[in-house]
């Protein structure tokens, strides 16, 4: 009988785990969502990929379409780390509260606004800049209608606690008013060295604060989600004695940092988590789960196995028009120069270790990328590869009749293979990836029969930065006067 109950308990755990629904494949960390008229709008962290903060819209919270970015030009005060945007709407105006690293300073909270959710957005600069850093802003009105800013002081970056602060914000969103007050901090064993990512919702007598705790990112992450409540915005706040209310299951790891939202009388939480199989290679992906308010005044997630994850999609880019499609991004430290016309992309080279590059999010652990290089119009080393950051890539590069497979690790270059190829009008490069990291390169002069380049599979396990996933990309290496010319890029996910 005891073994029967153990099996029953295991089955319940497995069933409950499936109630988390994947709705945004690939890197969509710290997602935020708001309803504007009959449409939901969302954004997410881009970190050191640019343009910054995707703008996504949906009618059902499940199927999302990208509509551009908040920033296509860096705000003057920012140098890097575009984290944790909070998208909100009030009185016909859209506000983005975001975190970024200030030039010559630390992490600050900034504000941008627009008259419509797709933009254009006007940046209003930083509004909170504490010595150890300020991040994860969330606006909330108190019981008297006063507008407050809620945020985290980034004490964990210097080995200190992480208080969650609240301070009145003027209606113009240009300045904080009065004194800040601490709501709560990391003081429970399961919370580890931080609490962060606070978002709130009011229901009945209570304000409810969803928050994340412990280590957010990477293979060794321990992130979980908790909830606290208070009858007044400024407290006192009480943490739920059943925290954490959302944690690892058999499919998803380290769930947290999201926003509650209502739809048709039901409540949902949009947040991020790592896929247990593809892990850091696909990054923190956008998830959705239903929750409800309990008779005793708390929150519980609905454990019903009814939802289906959004399907994998493939991308074909024929480089039509004169602008890169919005699925391409580049390094915030290496703005790219390019021309696109007549179905071709000419990417200006850079002499940096990685060269210039543009990348697309990976959404599967198994995929194939193919691109056609135009040798007669290419003077740079033209590459197809897997990209971690400016100092960590693996790519196959063509130049002057030679294809080289090159690993860049911590800025140090190692050649893995090379092959002389017949010079012609076209050269096709192909990259096959398995398990998110096992990379094989092939080439063809006609695009049909591909020949292997590296006999030994390249290991891309080192590529993902601590807070981002691998991108698939096109690379151009050389001096600034040189160009790599590509046409017809295809990414096929399996």
């Amino acid at each position: 009988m005891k073994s029967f109950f153990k099996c029953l308990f295991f089955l319940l755990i497995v069933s409950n785990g499936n109630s988390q629904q994947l709705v945004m494949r690939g890197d969509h960390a710290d997602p935020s969502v708001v309803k504007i008229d009959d449409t939901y709008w969302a954004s997410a962290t881009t970190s050191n990929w640019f343009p910054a903060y995707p703008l996504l819209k949906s009618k059902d919270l499940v199927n999302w379409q990208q509509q551009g970015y908040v920033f296509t030009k860096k705000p003057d005060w920012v140098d890097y780390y575009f984290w944790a945007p909070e998208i909100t709407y009030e009185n016909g105006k859209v506000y983005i509260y975001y975190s970024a690293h200030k030039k010559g300073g630390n992490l600050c909270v900034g504000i941008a606004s627009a008259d419509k959710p797709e933009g254009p957005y006007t940046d209003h600069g930083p509004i909170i800049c504490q010595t150890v850093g300020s991040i994860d802003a969330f606006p909330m009105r108190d019981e008297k209608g006063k507008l407050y800013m809620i945020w985290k002081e980034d004490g964990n970056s210097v080995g200190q606690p992480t208080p969650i602060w609240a301070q009145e914000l003027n209606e113009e969103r240009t300045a904080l008013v009065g004194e800040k007050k601490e709501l709560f901090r990391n003081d429970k064993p399961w919370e580890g060295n931080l609490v962060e990512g606070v978002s709130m919702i009011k229901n009945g007598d209570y304000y409810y604060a969803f928050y994340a705790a412990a280590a957010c990112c990477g293979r060794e992450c321990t992130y979980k989600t908790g909830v606290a409540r208070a009858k007044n915005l400024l407290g006192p706040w009480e943490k739920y004695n059943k925290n954490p209310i959302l944690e690892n299951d058999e499919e998803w790891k380290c769930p947290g940092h999201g926003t509650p939202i209502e739809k048709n009388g039901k409540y949902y939480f949009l947040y991020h988590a790592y896929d247990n199989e593809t892990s850091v290679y696909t990054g923190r992906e956008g998830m959705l789960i239903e929750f409800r308010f309990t008779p005793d005044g708390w929150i519980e997630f609905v454990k019903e196995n009814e939802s289906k994850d959004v399907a994998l999609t493939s991308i074909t880019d024929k480089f039509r028009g004169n602008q890169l499609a919005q699925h391409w991004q580049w390094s915030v430290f290496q703005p790219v120069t390019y021309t696109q016309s007549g179905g071709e992309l000419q990417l200006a080279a850079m002499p940096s270790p990685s060269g210039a590059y543009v990348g697309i999010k990976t959404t599967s652990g198994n995929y194939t990328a193919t691109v056609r290089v135009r040798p007669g119009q290419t003077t740079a080393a033209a590459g197809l590869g897997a990209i971690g950051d400016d100092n960590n890539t693996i790519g196959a590069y063509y130049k002057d009749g030679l294809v080289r497979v090159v690993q860049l690790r911590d800025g140090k270059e190692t050649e893995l293979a090379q092959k002389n190829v017949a010079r012609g009008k076209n050269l096709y490069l192909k990259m096959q990836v398995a398990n998110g990291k096992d990379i094989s390169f092939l080439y063809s002069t006609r695009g049909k029969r591909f020949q292997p380049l590296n006999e030994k599979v390249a290991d891309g396990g080192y590529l993902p930065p601590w807070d981002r996933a691998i991108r698939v990309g096109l690379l151009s290496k050389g001096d600034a006067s040189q160009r790599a010319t590509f046409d017809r890029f295809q990414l096929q996910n399996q």
Side-chain angles (χ1 to χ4, degrees):
M1 183 63 70
K2 184 181 292 186
S3 62
F4 169 79
F5 282 113
K6 284 184 177 179
C7 290
L8 179 61
F9 178 74
F10 174 77
L11 288 172
L12 287 172
I13 292 295
V14 170
S15 175
N16 287 350
N18 290 332
S19 62
Q20 301 185 68
Q21 183 180 10
L22 173 61
V23 296
M24 296 176 180
R25 286 189 177 271
D27 250 346
H28 288 92
D30 314 324
S32 167
V33 61
V34 67
K35 188 177 184 182
I36 302 175
D37 298 324
D38 64 348
T39 303
Y40 297 93
W41 287 84
S43 190
T45 283
T46 47
S47 190
N48 289 335
W49 286 95
F50 205 79
Y53 303 132
L55 292 163
L56 306 107
K57 73 174 184 178
S58 172
K59 294 290 187 180
D60 60 6
L61 293 175
V62 174
N63 298 285
W64 293 91
Q65 295 178 331
Q66 190 169 338
Q67 303 295 305
Y69 294 90
V70 174
F71 295 127
T72 55
K73 179 183 179 295
K74 275 201 303 184
D76 292 339
W77 66 276
V78 178
D79 47 15
Y80 57 89
Y81 279 158
F82 287 86
W83 286 343
E86 194 66 44
I87 183 168
T88 68
Y89 179 75
E90 192 171 52
N91 298 326
K93 199 91 168 175
V94 185
Y95 297 93
I96 303 281
Y97 302 83
Y98 66 97
S99 307
H101 192 274
K102 185 178 181 180
K103 294 175 181 177
N106 207 333
L107 290 164
C108 299
V109 170
I111 301 177
S113 67
D115 293 325
K116 52 186 179 179
E118 60 268 37
Y121 282 82
T122 299
D123 183 55
H124 304 291
I127 197 167
I128 309 172
C129 294
Q130 293 163 291
T131 302
V132 299
S134 308
I135 64 173
D136 299 350
F138 189 88
M140 194 71 186
R141 291 192 179 274
D142 73 0
E143 53 279 6
K144 297 178 181 178
K146 287 184 179 181
L147 179 63
Y148 280 80
M149 181 85 89
I150 316 297
W151 79 94
K152 168 206 171 186
E153 185 173 0
D154 202 38
N156 58 285
S157 65
V158 292
Q160 297 177 6
T162 56
I164 303 300
W165 297 102
Q167 189 169 349
E168 188 178 349
L169 178 65
N170 66 6
E171 292 293 335
E172 296 76 25
R173 274 81 167 175
T174 58
L176 296 176
V177 179
E179 299 295 323
K180 68 181 185 293
K181 180 174 181 180
E182 182 178 329
L183 304 187
F184 56 87
R185 63 174 58 196
N186 55 314
D187 56 9
K188 303 296 181 183
W190 74 270
E191 296 167 347
N193 67 332
L194 64 83
V195 291
E196 63 183 14
V198 171
S199 60
M200 293 186 180
I201 190 170
K202 192 168 191 298
N203 185 72
D205 294 334
Y206 287 103
Y207 288 91
Y208 294 88
F210 291 84
Y211 67 93
C216 73
C217 312
R219 292 177 176 85
E220 305 304 318
C221 67
T222 55
Y223 228 36
K224 299 177 181 69
T225 296
V227 67
R229 71 180 185 183
K231 290 189 174 181
N232 299 298
L233 181 63
L234 298 183
W237 282 84
E238 172 191 9
K239 293 178 180 178
Y240 194 20
N241 62 13
K242 294 182 180 179
N243 280 339
I245 60 172
L246 188 62
E247 51 189 328
N248 296 355
D249 64 21
E250 76 284 355
E251 291 185 76
W252 297 99
K253 179 180 178 180
C254 301
H257 200 142
T259 306
I261 190 75
E262 184 268 340
K263 185 188 81 168
N264 299 332
K266 293 185 177 181
Y267 296 90
Y268 297 86
F269 188 53
L270 180 69
Y271 61 101
H272 73 238
Y274 285 104
D275 184 309
N276 275 333
E277 291 188 5
T278 58
S279 184
V280 295
Y281 305 113
T282 50
R284 293 172 288 170
E285 305 187 69
M287 309 292 295
L288 189 72
I289 189 170
E290 185 182 347
F291 70 90
R292 59 193 168 208
F293 300 97
T294 61
D296 62 348
W298 285 103
I299 282 171
E300 65 179 4
F301 289 108
V302 177
K303 306 292 187 178
E304 295 175 359
N305 187 14
E306 296 178 350
S307 58
K308 293 183 179 179
D309 295 345
V310 291
L312 279 168
T313 58
S314 295
I315 293 173
T316 298
D317 196 330
K318 298 181 180 180
F319 302 114
R320 304 300 187 194
N322 59 11
Q323 297 291 323
L324 277 172
Q326 61 188 4
H327 45 243
W328 295 104
Q329 290 176 284
W330 49 87
S331 169
V332 74
F333 302 110
Q334 295 189 166
V336 296
T337 301
Y338 71 90
T339 57
Q340 184 173 288
S341 64
E344 293 182 346
L345 170 67
Q346 287 197 335
L347 184 61
M350 287 184 186
S352 62
S354 65
Y357 59 81
V358 291
I360 291 178
K361 293 175 181 175
T362 51
T363 57
S364 169
N366 302 297
Y367 53 90
T368 300
T370 309
V371 72
R372 181 163 56 185
V373 178
R374 294 293 198 185
Q377 302 168 53
T378 293
T379 54
L384 170 69
I387 301 164
D389 58 25
D390 297 349
N391 291 306
N392 295 279
T393 63
I394 299 177
Y397 296 82
Y398 168 84
K399 187 177 182 182
D400 298 333
L402 180 69
V403 180
R404 301 171 64 234
V405 177
V406 177
Q407 172 184 281
L408 182 69
R409 185 166 187 168
D410 295 329
K412 182 180 179 180
E413 186 177 293
T414 303
E415 184 178 279
L416 303 181
Q418 66 168 256
K419 184 81 174 181
N420 289 303
V421 299
R423 300 195 187 198
K425 293 183 179 179
N426 299 305
L427 177 74
Y428 296 81
L429 297 176
K430 178 181 284 189
M431 179 174 71
Q432 295 178 334
V433 179
N435 307 312
K437 65 180 182 63
D438 301 324
I439 306 173
S440 299
F441 292 96
L442 305 95
Y443 78 97
S444 171
T445 56
R446 295 189 177 182
K448 294 182 179 179
R449 294 182 179 178
F450 281 83
Q451 302 297 317
L453 286 165
N454 54 316
E455 294 182 6
K456 183 180 179 181
V457 172
D459 184 357
Y462 71 93
L463 288 172
W466 69 275
D467 68 332
R468 280 157 281 159
I470 289 177
R471 257 63 166 180
V472 179
L474 304 176
L475 305 98
S476 179
K477 190 171 181 180
D479 65 55
S481 66
Q482 296 177 317
R483 298 288 187 273
T485 303
F486 306 95
D487 72 7
R488 193 175 174 80
F489 170 87
Q490 189 170 37
L491 174 62
Q492 295 177 305
N493 292 297
Q494 295 123 36

